[in-house]
Amino acid sequence: MTNDILSPAPASVPGGRLRKAPENFLDPAGVRTVFAEGKRGRRDFIRSAFAAALAGGAAAGAQGKSVGEGDPAILKLPAHSTGLGQPVATDGYGLPSRYEGNVQRRPSPGLTQTSQASVSFAPLQSLFGIVTPSGLHFERHHQGWWDIDPAQHRFMVNGMVKSPKVFTMDEIMRLPSVSRFHFIECGANTGMEWGNVAVPTCQYSHGMLSCSEFTGVPLITLLELAGADLKAGKFVLAEGADGSSMTRTIPMSLITSGQVLVAYGQNGEMLRPENGYPLRLVVPGVQGVSWVKYLRRCEVGDQPWGAKDEAVHYIDLMPDGTHRQYTSIQECKSVITTPSGGQVLLDKGFYNISGLAWSGRGKIRRVDVSVDGGRNWRTARLESPVMDKCLTRFNIDWVWDGKPTIVQSRAMDDTGYVQPTSRELRAVRGTRSIYHNNSVQSWLVQENGEVKNVQLA
């Protein structure tokens, strides 16, 4: 086993080209077909649809052209080099390039029966660095999203407090604030992979994950203003204002540490409506369901509440039939985003393997990468900054020889916890679970360059 880091590829090693994964491979009619086929027990339809889209992309990508004595894109000046561009501030709020129109968060066809209680996945394979643009942040809703008038929104603190308080948004936003970068991951992220390979791309396997700079007031500040009993009060119940009555128990120890925020800002602007505007809870390292959106109340109490979304949902089914409850910490995890499922390596040669690592218990200390199915591992480069309970970008150099291989990443955090393989995780948790799958992800690079989602037995 080696831990060396390759130096940049020499000039004699050609750089490899990569074709992106097909994005929107199902139209509305295809989505309806997924539902119908699923009811009949035929759940492989999404795979066949994806394979057809991939084949179509391969045919289109194969239509190359000869440049002859020179590249026309260099020899002939384009219009943008010879004319006037668009006026300043044509769009009051800037938009992505039309050439990036396929980079979108997308729902998984057939995952839920109603679009209001559903998920959209962030396009991890198309992102750089660690920050998820607000417009691409993954969504999880239990009864749809709302655009709430901030002038009418209120936040209440009650329960074991000396003086129950009701705060307006103006009152919260004039208090001293902090800004911190943190990841948020749904507890069900990668949940469809527990039993077997279920989805084709990184977006659908790991895309219930995002990372932002959040701005707000520490919850402990608001509790202290209400005179909360911080000794007898061991827990806080957070409640959202949406129709699902989302409520979650938060241990007081997390709140007194100052980590938990009542946030109104995301990535330098106000929260987006889909992300909880005008107010949400930020609970670093804890599964996303506890980051209650449209936050309207926090109640201090002396024991967990056992609310519907922590007694029936978001619990871990163990092999002996028992359930683990309040297992909220998102354990150390990583995924390679390039190359990843659905992408195609068009040439042999040099590639930069890149991915993301994160831990709900602290900072990422190290990420190892294997290009031979886990037989040998090399230590990747961690891009700075490396922050607490935040995504960390890693890279490593690789020269592909054109032979089939399996690429994997394995993360370790600063507590010493090492990301488990699927086999190691299933030995403890079985295969019937839904939540908290943090096992090593395997991508098969085939001889023709196509990358597929696989699991090692």
Side-chain angles (χ1 to χ4, degrees), residues 91-317:
D91 298 307
Y93 194 96
L95 301 172
S97 165
R98 59 192 172 99
Y99 299 105
E100 300 300 325
N102 272 336
V103 181
Q104 300 178 18
R105 55 188 175 197
R106 299 184 186 278
S108 180
L111 183 62
T112 61
Q113 293 294 318
T114 59
S115 58
Q116 286 82 5
S118 193
V119 180
S120 73
F121 298 79
L124 300 182
Q125 73 283 351
S126 299
L127 303 182
F128 311 107
I130 61 173
V131 174
T132 308
S134 297
L136 295 176
H137 194 287
F138 89 92
E139 300 170 83
R140 172 64 170 112
H141 299 290
H142 293 258
Q143 201 176 31
W145 62 270
W146 297 86
D147 194 358
I148 296 172
D149 181 356
Q152 300 301 316
H153 189 69
R154 300 292 185 269
F155 173 63
M156 179 170 65
V157 177
N158 67 341
M160 298 174 64
V161 299
K162 292 180 179 178
S163 176
K165 297 283 187 181
V166 174
F167 298 90
T168 65
M169 285 298 300
D170 286 342
E171 289 169 337
I172 290 174
M173 293 181 69
R174 74 183 185 187
L175 293 171
S177 65
V178 298
S179 295
R180 298 180 186 139
F181 289 87
H182 291 298
F183 78 84
I184 172 175
E185 181 183 20
C186 179
N189 197 28
T190 323
M192 290 182 287
E193 304 289 301
W194 264 112
N196 51 47
V197 173
V199 290
T201 69
C202 181
Q203 178 163 12
Y204 294 114
S205 66
H206 288 74
M208 284 191 276
L209 169 75
S210 295
C211 184
S212 296
E213 179 190 32
F214 292 99
T215 299
V217 179
L219 177 56
I220 185 62
T221 299
L222 299 169
L223 295 188
E224 288 174 339
L225 288 174
D229 187 340
L230 301 180
K231 291 185 178 179
K234 303 296 183 182
F235 300 93
V236 166
L237 181 73
E239 180 182 71
D242 58 327
S244 68
S245 297
M246 173 57 66
T247 48
R248 294 291 299 184
T249 298
I250 312 296
M252 185 65 79
S253 58
L254 289 178
I255 297 168
T256 54
S257 71
Q259 297 181 64
V260 180
L261 303 181
V262 173
Y264 46 80
Q266 179 182 7
N267 294 333
E269 61 180 358
M270 290 295 290
L271 291 163
R272 297 289 178 90
E274 303 97 317
N275 295 325
Y277 179 87
L279 208 60
R280 79 171 304 163
L281 207 61
V282 170
V283 192
V286 172
Q287 61 185 345
V289 68
S290 293
W291 296 44
V292 175
K293 291 181 285 193
Y294 318 112
L295 184 68
R296 68 178 175 190
R297 185 171 69 94
C298 278
E299 180 179 347
V300 179
D302 57 3
Q303 58 185 329
W305 270 260
K308 63 179 177 65
D309 289 293
E310 52 196 20
V312 179
H313 305 135
Y314 297 93
I315 52 181
D316 296 317
L317 177 61

Side-chain angles (χ1 to χ4, degrees), residues 65-78:
K65 61 180 180 180
S66 172
V67 297
E69 296 180 356
D71 187 344
I74 294 292
L75 298 177
K76 183 179 179 180
L77 289 177

Side-chain angles (χ1 to χ4, degrees), residues 76-85:
K76 183 179 179 180
L77 289 177
H80 59 256
S81 297
T82 59
L84 286 174

Side-chain angles (χ1 to χ4, degrees), residues 22 25 46-58:
F25 57 92
I46 189 172
R47 297 183 195 171
S48 60
F50 183 80
L54 192 63

Side-chain angles (χ1 to χ4, degrees), residues 446-457:
Q446 300 183 123
E447 192 170 9
N448 64 0
E450 292 182 11
V451 186
K452 291 189 174 182
N453 183 0
V454 298
Q455 290 185 3
L456 300 183

